[in-house]
Amino acid sequence: MDGDQQCRTEAKQKVLNIRGIGNCAPGTLQEQHSSRNISALKKNGLLQSLTAGVDEKKHEVTLEVLQAEAEWEALETVHRGPNDFTGSTPLISFNEALQHFQTADLCEYRKNIQPTMRRTGLSAITHFLFGPPRLHKELQEERDLVFAIGQCSLDNDQEVHIRVLQTIYKKLTGSKFDCARYGSHWELLGFQGADPGTDLRGTGFLGLMHTLYMVMDLQTLPLARDIYKLSQHPIQNFPFCLMSINITRITIQALREECLSKECNRRQQVIGVLNDFYVAAFLHLYQIWKTQHKTISDSGLVLKGVEMFAKKNPKQLLKRLETYLMERQNGTVLSADKVSSTSNHTQTGMRSKSASNINTKEMNFMGVCELEPEPEGEVRLI
């Protein structure tokens, strides 16, 4: 280091000591004051003399310039807490995240899965004679992987898990930088608290995988942002991520009840069908919520209707999604009333039968159902 550089460094250190910047914590008044100083200096063209990198000696190094440079460097190296992210981790695709689980040791989780509903007596006979076809044997391993992922919790020690979380946050909010692992910003996305992991007890990591698929697919990302925008509406707002997790719960139950076996057999895949079914069910809910002006007090009833319709009409639901995405891709103006009379009839019928029996507490987002098998014909609420 030459003499001029050494003098410059010593001068900057004195500025730091005088102004008390060196030991300030993020968000303090000193940092905010420093940011304002830097903004003012930028306007005056003083910072350009520090960053231009050419003919530096032609500019007179005044105390004001040294102060600006010192404050700039102090802000870049200010101490951050253990849960803060100063950089930007790369986004992760759905396939990359899926590959992580395909290569991970999930034997303990696979032991505990129940891939199909247990039926006894007349129910078992009826299902055998008139129910949907069984899933092809060569697809059962892929199906079991889905249920195994559904039992994995969010692990802070797994880089892939954190990248999935950060990717969802960035794609929905438009942020280019990572956010803290814990904090109130997760509530803005529709989690119940500062830790998203606590909301995954009913769907495991599959709840995040489905959201990741929706925000990383170029065709479905605009829909995801439309739904997220509606979730922020001053009157029709709802917790986006909790609603997404409930759609995943419906998807898991549809797979377990073999409602999707026919489509899986036809397409010779399970995960692809589940992803499309999840998006289609979320689209169905979005259209009902928006066109019928639903609010958070209607959440339990709406989810019931979506679940019943989706399980009974999976083919129709998937066809609607295909049409919607095609129209959107072609720039067709989407009708605000594009909800079928079938779904409207279902909602109306359920409302007349259940309105008097619905308890306010049942309609609040207080948690997510566990992955226990449901008795046939019963619909569970969050």
Side-chain angles (χ1 to χ4, degrees), residues 300-301 304-306 308 345-355:
L301 193 62
K304 270 187 176 183
V306 170
M308 290 177 63
H345 176 73
T346 303
Q347 292 292 316
T348 304
M350 288 184 60
R351 188 180 298 108
S352 61
K353 293 179 182 179
S354 307

Side-chain angles (χ1 to χ4, degrees), residues 87-100:
S88 178
T89 58
L91 300 178
I92 187 170
S93 67
F94 176 84
N95 287 336
E96 184 180 353
L98 178 61
Q99 188 177 16
H100 164 77

